[in-house]
Amino acid sequence: VQLQASGGGSVQAGGSLRLSCQASRNIFAINVMGWYRQAPGKERELVATVTKFDVTTYSDSAKGRFTISRDNAKKTVYLQMNSLKPEDTAVYYCNVNGRKLFEDVASDYWGQGTQVTVSS
């Protein structure tokens, strides 16, 4: 399973970015899709997740500014980020929990990461 993330870049504080992450066709059943981030010198942390029932969760820092959504037909998860702050600067990773055809157990898959840089 491959996850292709895109949409990162550099913006000024207060700006917006939209991240996308598409899973490859060989993932059959997707449960949870999410975004995590890792800033230099820090551990990877949860940003937001969305279940197959469209139940969403957000970190405290993301609440009110970021919106996660998914398109099941496209096997894609999005992260709309508004009112960006310099502390949002990090590499953002998408995560998908699902299973491949003919597999009984779901696994976690990670994208390659996309850099988001917010300047003050």
Side-chain angles (χ1 to χ4, degrees):
V1 175
Q2 293 183 334
L3 303 181
Q4 184 64 46
S6 61
S10 298
V11 295
Q12 290 189 332
S16 299
L17 285 173
R18 188 188 192 215
L19 306 183
S20 300
C21 178
Q22 185 172 33
S24 55
R25 296 175 62 181
N26 61 340
I27 189 164
F28 176 66
I30 298 175
N31 298 316
V32 181
M33 307 181 84
W35 289 95
Y36 293 72
R37 69 186 184 186
Q38 187 167 18
K42 295 187 177 181
E43 294 186 352
R44 191 173 297 187
E45 63 177 5
L46 169 73
V47 177
T49 62
V50 56
T51 72
K52 60 182 178 181
F53 302 112
D54 282 330
V55 175
T56 57
T57 60
Y58 295 93
S59 66
D60 287 342
S61 61
K63 285 179 183 177
R65 300 188 299 126
F66 296 0
T67 302
I68 190 169
S69 60
R70 61 190 278 172
D71 184 329
N72 292 323
K74 295 181 179 179
K75 299 182 180 180
T76 299
V77 60
Y78 305 95
L79 185 68
Q80 177 66 45
M81 304 186 293
N82 299 326
S83 302
L84 283 162
K85 304 175 182 180
E87 50 263 43
D88 294 318
T89 296
V91 177
Y92 284 69
Y93 297 90
C94 58
N95 170 269
V96 170
N97 178 271
R99 61 182 177 88
K100 294 188 287 187
L101 192 62
F102 304 125
E103 287 187 349
D104 295 327
V105 180
S107 299
D108 278 320
Y109 301 95
W110 292 90
Q112 82 280 13
T114 184
Q115 176 70 44
V116 171
T117 302
V118 185
S119 59
S120 58

